[in-house]
Amino acid sequence: FPLPLSTKTELPAPYSPWMDIAHELPQLITSHRLRSRVHQMPQLSTQHLRGREELHLAHLVLSFITMGYVWQEGEEGTVQVLPRNLAVPYWEVSQGLGLPPILSHADFVLANWRRKDPNGNLDTIITLPGGESLRGFVLVTLLVEKAAVPGIKAIIGALRAILQCDEEMLHRALQELAGAIEAMSEALRRMNDYVDPEVFYTVIRIFLSGWKDNPAMPHGLIYEGVSQEPLAYSGGSAAQSTVLHAFDELLGICHREDSAAFLHRMRDYMPPPHRAFVVEIQQAVSLKQHVLSSGDARLRAAFNRCVSALTDFRSYHITIVTKYIAIAAAKAKAGRAEPSARAGPSGGKPPSALEAKGTGGSHIFSFLKSIRDTTREGMISA
């Protein structure tokens, strides 16, 4: 299931050079010392990492160090080469997990949480500049994923119900799915309480940016000791979350060609078991066809409630992106005209290369509106 990936918070002792840097990232980046610290780091073998949890934690740690290394000086001070002592172990851990060597949703959110106390209050494991806003951004996104869990279970219940011709069980599963998607929207609303749009736009966002479809790094990045040619990977994106792909496949939502192609590419950034789960749903019996041919008004209403909840979730996501990117970008632009402009991640100016794009590299508003509209078109008309 697309559940949080790891609960380990420390790597074995041989990896303390990585953990020491990872725990100091915000200070090292803002004081411009991260790159020199990385250059002094020993090249460690990955053979002492045991099991998936340690691999996921190592991937999280190396992803955060890599993003800090690349973006330490903002978008105008990027590097062309990731040094061997970081690139080689990062590549090996990535190959072991079937994940790309870049920070993805699986690292940033799914593997990056721990319980702070017995009451279950959550905290991040590794962080970047952005203070409480960064923490809020990770944990609110995690709460959206957590709200989706009953919906993931409902997918399995719904498909089982169709195979068993159990309309009562199917109706119940669809109600549970709709409830879960509605709870995801509720969780997403908490973004407003915990994340400052200006901090998100001027400080945090650049560290989620990749080196594919990004004008700030048009040639990609050379992973020294791995490839002589530069490699290009997309930055972190909500489109890498398995749950929305799973719901789309179950409900038979068909996105337009360019949006569908981008979403499909984002599946390469998911852990392989999550990717396989989405493919299983895609290949399963068609829920929509079953509801249509049943002629059951109650089932149709429950199906439409799911599609409507998913449309509302996507509409609200557009509202959030408007606030945290479009309005924040306009403010940053206005600020740039003033000499006392609020500084970007490392005292430079706020990033502008991705002004109209998502960190994954999509043209953000046309993409989000397109997937919202095609979701709405998935309703079954009476």
Side-chain angles (χ1 to χ4, degrees):
F1 288 172
L3 283 173
L5 292 169
S6 175
T7 48
K8 268 208 169 31
T9 58
E10 281 295 332
L11 288 174
Y15 300 102
S16 59
W18 295 352
M19 293 307 296
D20 292 347
I21 291 177
H23 287 314
E24 277 185 71
L25 276 177
Q27 303 87 309
L28 288 171
I29 293 166
T30 49
S31 63
H32 303 269
R33 289 178 300 137
L34 175 61
R35 287 183 186 165
S36 58
R37 273 291 291 275
V38 168
H39 296 154
Q40 296 156 16
M41 189 174 83
Q43 183 163 340
L44 304 177
S45 156
T46 54
Q47 68 190 32
H48 306 293
L49 293 166
R50 296 272 175 268
R52 299 193 72 75
E53 283 200 353
E54 283 184 8
L55 280 174
H56 274 298
L57 180 57
H59 199 273
L60 163 69
V61 164
L62 296 172
S63 294
F64 270 71
I65 294 173
T66 295
M67 294 323 240
Y69 184 91
V70 170
W71 298 114
Q72 172 181 295
E73 302 300 324
E75 65 185 14
E76 290 177 350
T78 53
V79 290
Q80 313 214 314
V81 179
L82 197 65
R84 176 186 310 265
N85 57 348
L86 179 52
V88 171
Y90 192 20
W91 181 264
E92 288 171 0
V93 169
S94 300
Q95 294 292 104
L97 286 169
L99 285 171
I102 192 167
L103 180 73
S104 68
H105 180 80
D107 304 296
F108 189 65
V109 177
L110 300 185
N112 193 20
W113 64 280
R114 61 188 173 87
R115 287 198 170 81
K116 202 161 53 171
D117 53 45
N119 303 330
N121 290 325
L122 298 175
D123 204 354
T124 49
I125 300 173
I126 311 292
T127 180
L128 284 163
E132 284 302 301
S133 285
L134 182 100
R135 205 170 140 262
F137 184 62
V138 173
L139 295 177
V140 170
T141 310
L142 180 71
L143 292 177
V144 174
E145 292 276 336
K146 187 168 172 279
V149 172
I152 294 291
K153 292 178 177 168
I155 291 177
I156 296 161
L159 294 173
R160 190 173 292 147
I162 294 171
L163 296 176
Q164 294 172 3
C165 300
D166 185 336
E167 307 293 301
E168 202 44 56
M169 183 179 165
L170 178 57
H171 184 259
R172 208 165 47 242
L174 290 176
Q175 294 287 40
E176 280 163 14
L177 175 57
I181 301 171
E182 286 158 6
M184 288 166 69
S185 291
E186 273 309 296
L188 186 57
R189 285 175 199 282
R190 298 175 70 174
M191 199 66 84
N192 298 302
D193 302 328
Y194 292 101
V195 186
D196 177 326
E198 194 184 351
V199 174
F200 176 77
Y201 187 78
T202 59
V203 180
I204 298 170
R205 194 167 179 252
I206 192 167
F207 294 106
L208 307 179
S209 307
W211 26 98
K212 182 181 173 73
D213 303 326
N214 185 348
M217 284 186 74
H219 306 300
L221 182 67
I222 292 171
Y223 289 70
E224 190 183 29
V226 172
S227 162
Q228 310 216 312
E229 293 300 307
L231 304 173
Y233 294 101
S234 297
S237 165
Q240 296 165 356
S241 167
T242 311
V243 290
L244 294 168
H245 290 252
F247 298 159
D248 278 347
E249 291 296 354
L250 181 78
L251 298 168
I253 309 288
C254 292
H255 296 296
R256 299 194 182 98
E257 203 174 340
D258 51 345
S259 302
F262 175 76
L263 284 169
H264 234 265
R265 204 178 79 215
M266 290 296 104
R267 290 184 187 180
D268 296 339
Y269 294 77
M270 295 175 186
H274 293 199
R275 214 179 302 158
F277 180 68
V278 176
V279 171
E280 291 244 337
I281 302 165
Q282 189 183 343
Q283 293 170 348
V285 55
S286 164
L287 167 66
K288 191 171 190 174
Q289 282 314 119
H290 180 86
V291 171
L292 280 167
S293 57
S294 77
D296 183 329
R298 214 163 127 255
L299 278 184
R300 189 169 63 224
F303 178 91
N304 281 345
R305 183 184 157 203
C306 293
V307 176
S308 170
L310 193 54
T311 306
D312 290 347
F313 178 82
R314 287 185 157 138
S315 288
Y316 191 66
H317 187 212
I318 293 170
T319 306
I320 288 279
V321 170
T322 305
K323 176 177 173 178
Y324 283 85
I325 295 178
I327 296 171
K331 281 186 179 163
K333 242 185 183 151
R336 254 182 240 143
E338 299 164 20
S340 65
R342 171 77 187 275
S346 49
K349 56 183 195 196
S352 60
L354 289 176
E355 248 164 30
K357 282 189 167 188
T359 42
S362 64
H363 286 281
I364 197 154
F365 285 101
S366 54
F367 168 72
L368 291 176
K369 285 175 178 161
S370 159
I371 61 170
R372 190 265 319 272
D373 295 346
T374 48
T375 304
R376 191 184 283 131
E377 286 157 20
M379 299 279 274
I380 296 175
S381 46

